[in-house]
Amino acid sequence: MTAPSRAAIARSKRAPSSVCNVKSGICLQIGEETYIDATNKLGFQINNCQAVYVNGAQGSKTTVNLTNAAYESSSYVIGLATQDIANNGQGKITVRGLVHDCDTSSWVEGTRLFISTQNGNLTDVKPSAPLHGNFVGTVVYQHSNHGIILVNPSNTPELDELHDVGISNKTINDLLSWNGS
């Protein structure tokens, strides 16, 4: 599909909903996707389909970094880059919806994807503790260049992040108990 001119709305043959040219080559499936604007201050390019988390702000723009399941601070996935984002550049992050033109050749359609211990990469094997096994999305179309991922991130809470659990000074082999008072 060719992107329509700026602010134009057109029908897509690839998707049944209307699309709007948000930024050169980026089309929003109206009512089916949600984007955020993000700034890349990492010193290198963020590639299309890489998983990112919010690491700050610059002015009114969110800044992002690549996720990594090995570290709690970088495991809170917000979505996938919808385009290559140059260093010091701005781009779109899909927080819900379809991301196109991913390399999904390693996974069959329907495969659930998680953040991995390789910065920004995805895996079909849920990382186990002490790694952070946060869900990113599902493979919709398997292809080496035109793969599609349905982004629907879910950050799995850790035990001490649950609303009715209070933990302080935890040590190995501690047990939880219910305080009935």
Side-chain angles (χ1 to χ4, degrees), residues 69 114-115 126-129 131-135 154 156:
F114 303 86
I115 62 171
K126 182 178 181 179
S128 55
L131 300 175
H132 304 274
N134 293 337
F135 176 73
S154 174
T156 306

Side-chain angles (χ1 to χ4, degrees), residues 14-15 29 33 48-49 80 97-105 107-111 113 122 137-151:
R14 182 165 68 176
Q29 314 305 314
E33 292 177 311
N48 184 43
C49 303
L80 296 183
L98 301 174
V99 175
H100 296 264
D101 301 328
C102 301
D103 180 0
T104 58
S105 60
W107 308 300
V108 298
E109 291 156 358
T111 300
L113 299 176
L122 303 174
T138 306
V139 175
V140 174
Y141 180 64
Q142 180 186 27
H143 195 274
S144 60
N145 297 316
H146 303 294
I148 301 171
I149 298 173
L150 173 61
V151 178

Side-chain angles (χ1 to χ4, degrees), residues 18-175:
S18 297
V19 296
C20 177
N21 184 20
V22 177
K23 189 171 181 180
S24 62
I26 305 299
C27 293
L28 175 69
Q29 314 305 314
I30 297 173
E32 297 179 16
E33 292 177 311
T34 305
Y35 296 147
I36 62 167
D37 290 318
T39 301
N40 174 6
K41 301 300 271 180
L42 298 178
F44 54 87
Q45 177 173 289
I46 295 173
N47 296 319
N48 184 43
C49 303
Q50 284 191 299
V52 297
Y53 70 97
V54 174
N55 70 337
Q58 180 180 17
S60 64
K61 298 287 186 195
T62 302
T63 59
V64 292
N65 199 344
L66 301 176
T67 59
N68 189 313
Y71 309 101
E72 181 177 6
S73 62
S74 63
S75 68
Y76 295 103
V77 62
I78 187 71
L80 296 183
T82 302
Q83 63 188 128
D84 293 341
I85 306 172
N87 182 47
N88 293 318
Q90 294 181 359
K92 302 290 184 192
I93 304 299
T94 297
V95 297
R96 293 271 188 272
L98 301 174
V99 175
H100 296 264
D101 301 328
C102 301
D103 180 0
T104 58
S105 60
S106 298
W107 308 300
V108 298
E109 291 156 358
T111 300
R112 293 173 47 86
L113 299 176
F114 303 86
I115 62 171
S116 80
T117 56
Q118 302 297 313
N119 289 344
N121 290 347
L122 303 174
T123 180
D124 62 341
V125 178
K126 182 178 181 179
S128 55
L131 300 175
H132 304 274
N134 293 337
F135 176 73
V136 177
T138 306
V139 175
V140 174
Y141 180 64
Q142 180 186 27
H143 195 274
S144 60
N145 297 316
H146 303 294
I148 301 171
I149 298 173
L150 173 61
V151 178
N152 187 25
S154 174
N155 292 300
T156 306
E158 296 179 15
L159 189 59
D160 58 358
E161 296 173 333
L162 298 175
H163 75 281
D164 62 348
V165 176
I167 298 176
S168 60
N169 303 322
K170 62 184 174 186
T171 60
I172 295 174
N173 295 322
D174 277 354
L175 298 174

